[in-house]
Amino acid sequence: DRPERFWAINSRMETIQMDKAQAEQMARFLAKRGVNMVRLHGRLWSDDLTIAPATLDKLFTFITALKQQGIYTCLSIYFPVWLPLNQTAPIPGYTGQNAFSLLFFNSQLQKTYFDWWRTILTTTNPYTGVALRDDPAVAMVELVNEDSYFFWTFTPYENVPATQMATLEQQFGRWLTQKYGSPEQALNAWNTTKPRYKDNTIKGDDPAAGRLGFMPLYQLVEQRESLRAQDTAAFLAHSQSQFFQQAIAMLRQTLHYQGLIYASNWITANAQILGPLDKYTNTVADFMDRHGYFEGRHEGKAASYSLNPGDLYQDRSALLFQPRDQQQDYDFSLPIMDMRYNNLPSTITEIGWLMPNQFRAEFPLLAAAYGLLQGSDGFFFFVNDQVGWEAPLGKFTIASPVTQGQFPATALIYRKGLLKAGKAVVNLSLKVNDLLQLRGAPIPAPQNLDAFRAKDIPPGQTLETDKVDSFDPLAFLVGKVNVNFTTDAQPSQVTELSSYIDRTAKTVRSSTGELLWNYDKGLVTVNAPQVQAVTGFLQPAGTLELNDVTIASQMPYGTIILVALDNQPIAVSRRLLLQVMSEEQNLGWQTSGEPPKTIQSIGSAPILVRTLSGDITFKRSDAKTLKVTALDANGKPIATIGNAKQFQVLPDQFYYLIQSE
């Protein structure tokens, strides 16, 4: 009766090289921990830009193994980084650059791209007898991974060579001809309309040949009031949206794909001015998507993708809103904060709390709890490419105790919706014509609510206004933040949040009353009928009183979650799961110096988890009748350790089944 939520992992295409037995084992491992989707992310084509039958067979084998365990597949097959082009490539002009932006306008690459989808979706899977286009197990496909005209990778005559720029410039010329009558008339309008663009000539301008060039993105933003900048942005938005619509039509109408389609998931060169335009182009698809990572300072030759001796790093907790830039007091921007567009479903198909960072145990609970609060539809943890647990820890490892080890409770909470959705506290209406004229959109800014208080808006009440310059970033921790693109002027609605946010105490209470974030202590508590939990800096917090249970722990930092397994409130439930997690590290991990630390050794397998502790006391009158059994990593009983009236968790066990005797 409700849409499915996806608690998912990313797995790169190398994974499909597993044999059938390995694929089936990985699928069982994931299903046991609550995963219900895998985003297969990587190139399938060979160097000749065709998909080999053997590769397709491997893909079918892996998708079938997932399907047998009730796990959906998302296909992400195109990323410009996977397509470096050179003089021998069938697309001329390249000398080793990646194909950034090319797919949006080059018909030759588009034909090859559509052929890939035709091969993947229309070939019958021999293991099911059904083509992927007709298989509900292939729940969604992605058109383009991390590419946009509005990001810094769109650099005319650099990433996009002259031969290809000529094609795009001609398309721009034709678009301008429809608007002004000819490229010459467009130039005349740009040069006579104030404020004029300061440099009247741009590389690529050749109106006699029907071509006009493109301003660099930084100039487009700087001179956004000029007509040339606005026309350039409008054309780029049109071209990008047109490709998405063309690709969707090909998948739907030509190939008859039955699943969901999303466009892309990237950021832009300017979040306020260009970001809304990019998002607007994505609204032609079935749902919206984005990527987001949280990490501390990490510097080194290969720090963007790996851990190496000699790297500098600094631990960082999201719970404290610690900034990476130490000149700031706080950084209120977190990847779990999900803005929803046009009431479309919203997913995050790449998310992670990255190494090196000791404060990662907060991540799964924050995703589940605040994802439900904001109405997010899917979290895709990045990345897991193997069967079972991974060791040692790497930059993006999720198949470890701290992340996938916490899936049993967090996946259950999220997929079953055991926490309430929040009310909409920000509803922004953005007029499309304003975006095309580069007027931008409101951005999160914590000082904004002072303006609303000055208007004598009662605490917790909503103001309708035609002008919103900014909004409180902590709104995401209170409830939903929505954006609607409109063709006419519609008032925005912003709730005054002082009844939820106490800046003196540094706390944020959700509009549901179930979540409390204390960014002074670095602690989040969950108090709901079927879920009660704490995450963060536990030892200094002392004894924590939740609705039905008391928790005291000597762990300096960790997460403790109690969830009912029988759809009953914790106060009367006869079957519950207690889950405990702390910090993890590779055996032999060594650092030196004070923050920032220097990695001396990244260590090796196995992964070590810091000693667990917790005194748990149930407040129920029948607590003594509830038996507490410690479980191993696969959920198998180890030993009965007492009853729920009061018990201590073991130093080396993550899970406990609490049930009636």
Side-chain angles (χ1 to χ4, degrees):
D1 295 331
R2 62 162 178 78
E4 183 70 273
R5 298 181 188 90
F6 296 113
W7 194 260
I9 67 153
N10 281 268
S11 195
R12 287 170 287 212
M13 283 297 179
E14 292 86 344
T15 308
I16 68 172
Q17 298 305 317
M18 294 179 181
D19 60 30
K20 180 174 180 289
Q22 291 172 319
E24 290 175 346
Q25 183 180 353
M26 182 176 183
R28 290 193 300 271
F29 179 88
L30 295 174
K32 187 177 185 66
R33 286 154 184 85
V35 171
N36 64 338
M37 180 175 284
V38 170
R39 177 178 180 249
L40 276 174
H41 174 62
R43 61 174 271 182
L44 288 168
W45 65 85
S46 305
D47 290 342
D48 64 358
L49 301 186
T50 63
I51 298 175
T55 301
L56 197 61
D57 186 75
K58 290 284 190 180
L59 177 67
F60 290 152
T61 298
F62 194 77
I63 289 174
T64 302
L66 295 176
K67 180 179 181 178
Q68 289 170 345
Q69 297 300 321
I71 299 175
Y72 294 98
T73 298
C74 166
L75 292 176
S76 168
I77 70 163
Y78 180 76
F79 181 23
V81 168
W82 302 330
L83 189 59
L85 298 170
N86 52 45
Q87 298 290 3
T88 63
I91 299 172
Y94 284 86
T95 56
Q97 304 99 309
N98 298 114
F100 287 111
S101 304
L102 188 65
L103 186 61
F104 296 133
F105 69 88
N106 183 282
S107 60
Q108 187 177 359
L109 179 56
Q110 288 171 1
K111 182 181 183 305
T112 299
Y113 170 87
F114 294 152
D115 285 342
W116 293 335
W117 281 121
R118 183 174 290 104
T119 300
I120 293 166
L121 294 176
T122 65
T123 304
T124 299
N125 179 349
Y127 308 108
T128 64
V130 177
L132 297 187
R133 67 182 178 187
D134 300 315
D135 193 337
V138 182
M140 57 180 65
V141 300
E142 172 187 287
L143 298 182
V144 180
N145 180 74
E146 294 188 355
D147 197 14
S148 171
Y149 279 134
F150 299 106
F151 188 60
W152 297 118
T153 46
F154 178 57
T155 52
Y157 296 92
E158 294 178 17
N159 278 342
V160 187
T163 304
Q164 299 306 319
M165 282 309 305
T167 298
L168 187 58
E169 290 158 0
Q170 287 167 350
Q171 293 176 10
F172 191 23
R174 288 194 293 271
W175 185 85
L176 291 167
T177 297
Q178 290 184 335
K179 182 172 182 178
Y180 293 101
S182 70
E184 290 86 351
Q185 289 173 290
L187 276 175
N188 181 64
W190 294 345
N191 292 331
T192 58
T193 303
K194 294 182 180 181
R196 291 187 294 271
Y197 178 60
K198 294 178 182 178
D199 182 356
N200 290 331
T201 59
I202 291 290
K203 188 172 184 178
D205 280 354
D206 189 350
R211 295 165 44 191
L212 287 178
F214 289 85
M215 304 165 63
L217 291 180
Y218 75 91
Q219 289 185 353
L220 188 147
V221 172
E222 285 179 354
Q223 302 193 35
R224 57 187 175 274
E225 294 183 358
S226 72
L227 189 57
R228 178 160 196 165
Q230 293 170 7
D231 281 338
T232 301
F235 168 76
L236 292 174
H238 164 79
S239 176
Q240 189 163 295
S241 178
Q242 187 177 51
F243 167 74
F244 290 147
Q245 292 177 68
Q246 178 187 2
I248 290 168
M250 182 275 299
L251 290 168
R252 286 262 189 267
Q253 299 167 22
T254 304
L255 302 184
H256 306 292
Y257 172 62
Q258 304 296 306
L260 300 173
I261 301 169
Y262 64 105
S264 195
N265 37 37
W266 202 212
I267 56 177
T268 64
N270 185 289
Q272 184 176 14
I273 305 300
L274 303 179
L277 270 181
D278 182 74
K279 290 299 184 185
Y280 175 65
T281 69
N282 281 250
T283 58
V284 299
D286 293 322
F287 63 96
M288 303 293 284
D289 185 46
R290 63 185 178 88
H291 293 168
Y293 292 94
F294 182 85
E295 61 179 324
R297 177 183 174 187
H298 182 202
E299 299 172 3
K301 182 181 291 187
S304 63
Y305 59 88
S306 65
L307 309 176
N308 295 283
D311 287 359
L312 290 176
Y313 80 97
Q314 194 154 355
D315 297 308
R316 181 184 180 214
S317 171
L319 299 174
L320 295 166
F321 296 121
Q322 290 175 308
R324 293 184 67 181
D325 179 359
Q326 297 304 307
Q327 295 180 355
Q328 296 176 265
D329 291 329
Y330 296 105
D331 181 354
F332 291 113
S333 176
L334 299 178
I336 60 167
M337 294 176 171
D338 195 10
M339 188 176 288
R340 301 176 63 85
Y341 294 87
N342 279 18
N343 202 34
L344 290 169
S346 180
T347 61
I348 308 172
T349 56
E350 288 186 23
I351 190 168
W353 257 233
L354 305 184
M355 281 281 289
N357 185 6
Q358 72 184 94
F359 303 129
R360 289 176 293 113
E362 63 205 32
F363 172 33
L365 180 61
L366 292 185
Y370 286 91
L372 289 171
L373 178 76
Q374 298 171 107
S376 302
D377 296 280
F379 288 93
F380 293 65
F381 298 78
F382 194 92
V383 62
N384 180 1
D385 297 328
Q386 66 176 48
V387 177
W389 303 103
E390 185 170 352
L393 294 166
K395 179 78 173 183
F396 295 96
T397 300
I398 61 169
S400 70
V402 153
T403 306
Q404 278 185 210
Q406 294 196 78
F407 278 13
T410 54
L412 180 71
I413 292 166
Y414 183 72
R415 288 180 55 187
K416 294 188 71 173
L418 298 184
L419 300 173
K420 297 176 185 175
K423 72 176 186 178
V425 293
V426 177
N427 284 302
L428 299 177
S429 291
L430 303 182
K431 193 175 179 181
V432 173
N433 194 50
D434 287 345
L435 301 181
L436 296 174
Q437 293 177 17
L438 298 176
R439 294 176 184 170
I443 59 173
Q447 71 277 10
N448 182 64
L449 287 188
D450 292 338
F452 298 125
R453 295 190 188 101
K455 296 178 182 293
D456 297 323
I457 302 299
Q461 297 300 303
T462 299
L463 169 72
E464 286 199 1
T465 176
D466 294 329
K467 182 64 173 175
V468 177
D469 295 320
S470 59
F471 64 92
D472 197 319
L474 296 178
F476 291 100
L477 308 184
V478 176
K480 297 177 182 177
V481 176
N482 300 321
V483 173
N484 292 297
F485 298 114
T486 65
T487 56
D488 56 353
Q490 297 283 340
S492 294
Q493 299 175 330
V494 181
T495 300
E496 204 281 337
L497 299 177
S498 63
S499 58
Y500 303 105
I501 301 172
D502 185 336
R503 281 190 163 76
T504 301
K506 299 180 181 178
T507 60
V508 187
R509 180 174 58 86
S510 68
S511 60
T512 63
E514 294 180 336
L515 308 176
L516 181 66
W517 189 306
N518 186 317
Y519 60 96
D520 181 44
K521 296 180 178 179
L523 194 72
V524 165
T525 55
V526 181
N527 253 317
Q530 295 183 56
V531 183
Q532 290 166 36
V534 295
T535 186
F537 296 89
L538 302 180
Q539 186 181 41
T543 300
L544 296 167
E545 294 282 345
L546 302 179
N547 289 347
D548 299 298
V549 66
T550 298
I551 297 174
S553 176
Q554 295 304 305
M555 292 190 296
Y557 169 87
T559 301
I560 300 176
I561 303 171
L562 179 67
V563 56
L565 299 176
D566 55 4
N567 296 318
Q568 297 297 313
I570 290 172
V572 296
S573 174
R574 312 308 295 175
R575 186 175 172 84
L576 306 101
L577 171 68
L578 181 79
Q579 181 173 286
V580 185
M581 187 53 60
S582 182
E583 304 162 37
E584 66 182 4
Q585 199 51 272
N586 293 330
L587 175 67
W589 174 271
Q590 293 182 2
T591 65
S592 63
E594 296 301 318
K597 303 174 186 176
T598 300
I599 299 176
Q600 298 298 325
S601 172
I602 64 170
S604 61
I607 296 171
L608 306 179
V609 175
R610 190 166 186 162
T611 300
L612 305 171
S613 77
D615 292 319
I616 313 298
T617 303
F618 274 58
K619 299 179 181 180
R620 296 167 47 163
S621 60
D622 64 344
K624 286 187 177 180
T625 69
L626 300 176
K627 180 177 65 175
V628 181
T629 302
L631 310 175
D632 68 12
N634 288 308
K636 302 296 184 182
I638 295 174
T640 298
I641 63 170
N643 64 65
K645 179 63 177 176
Q646 186 173 21
F647 66 96
Q648 292 183 333
V649 303
L650 300 177
D652 57 355
Q653 299 301 324
F654 305 152
Y655 313 115
Y656 301 84
L657 179 64
I658 302 166
Q659 61 182 341
S660 299
E661 298 205 52

